[in-house]
Amino acid sequence: MSLPASIAAESAETLQGLGGGRSGSFSLPPETGTFSRGRDRVDLFSVVNWSSASTRYSLVLADGSRTEAACSGKAVEATWKAIAANAKPFSFDCEWRGSRSAQLKMNAPVASLTMKAERSGQFSMAGTTLEVQSVHEVRGSSLPLEAPIGYVFKHDGKAVGAIELNGLTPRLWRPASGNALREPVTLAALALALLWDPAT
């Protein structure tokens, strides 16, 4: 995916173990964790579609402490005479408990002038806030993708991390060990990497 200049030269880490499964374990050295996730869709007479997704993960952090995330995503689409519209745009909320307490809230715009399924939101933890924005641009292509290929994390307007979701092994760009923004980027990125997007 296309990366902001502030992190484009940095090397990426791979998030091992997610694959396409509903549950399992993953590693992002030195962190390790377990996860479970699912997605449901209810179709009412091919007119209204309710989609939901749930994600949970437990993470052992670099200092040996543990935190757990519980996330839910929702979207409602209405179709009439081959025209589809978002009756209720995508939303995604996460809450962390344990050695770290945090929140993530993501939404799609109510109306969009583009074909991109954009999402944006905020992650907050212990007084630190990250802005989160979906990425639809692919390096070397002038045509954006409809679904997000990844997400960028910004702090005070500057990109400090990113997660690329292309394929079964997500790639993560995050601040170096010792940087106060490393954990916030990691926690938010894991939630988005595990999400089975209910709106796609």
Side-chain angles (χ1 to χ4, degrees):
M1 72 181 196
S2 293
L3 292 169
S6 58
I7 56 175
E10 304 294 328
S11 58
E13 301 172 69
T14 56
L15 181 52
Q16 300 290 335
L18 293 190
R22 296 180 68 92
S23 62
S25 58
F26 61 87
S27 65
L28 185 63
E31 294 94 352
T32 59
T34 58
F35 71 92
S36 64
R37 58 185 173 179
R39 183 168 69 174
D40 295 304
R41 189 177 181 92
V42 177
D43 186 353
L44 181 62
F45 306 118
S46 298
V47 174
V48 180
N49 294 316
W50 287 271
S51 299
S52 63
S54 61
T55 301
R56 301 184 78 88
Y57 77 78
S58 176
L59 181 69
V60 178
L61 295 155
D63 63 5
S65 62
R66 181 185 299 270
T67 190
E68 297 185 355
C71 308
S72 64
K74 298 175 185 174
V76 180
E77 182 182 73
T79 305
W80 179 250
K81 295 185 178 180
I83 298 175
N86 290 324
K88 183 172 182 181
F90 164 89
S91 65
F92 185 55
D93 298 315
C94 295
E95 193 161 347
W96 282 260
R97 290 285 182 258
S99 61
R100 305 292 186 273
S101 294
Q103 286 186 324
L104 171 67
K105 291 189 175 293
M106 299 284 296
N107 292 284
V110 174
S112 176
L113 300 177
T114 71
M115 294 299 292
K116 297 186 290 186
E118 297 176 310
R119 293 96 168 77
S120 61
Q122 286 189 333
F123 173 90
S124 56
M125 183 179 87
T128 297
T129 299
L130 298 176
E131 299 88 41
V132 187
Q133 180 66 52
S134 60
V135 176
H136 302 261
E137 290 71 33
V138 179
R139 212 168 23 186
S141 173
S142 60
L143 297 175
L145 302 175
E146 179 183 356
I149 190 174
Y151 293 85
V152 167
F153 308 100
K154 294 182 179 180
H155 183 254
D156 291 338
K158 179 186 175 183
V160 294
I163 182 81
E164 183 181 68
L165 305 178
N166 190 32
L168 296 177
T169 307
R171 297 195 308 155
L172 174 64
W173 290 262
R174 58 179 175 167
S177 180
N179 187 312
L181 297 175
R182 182 179 174 90
E183 275 190 5
V185 168
T186 301
L187 297 183
L190 285 171
L192 292 164
L194 285 161
L195 169 67
W196 279 343
D197 196 326
T200 60

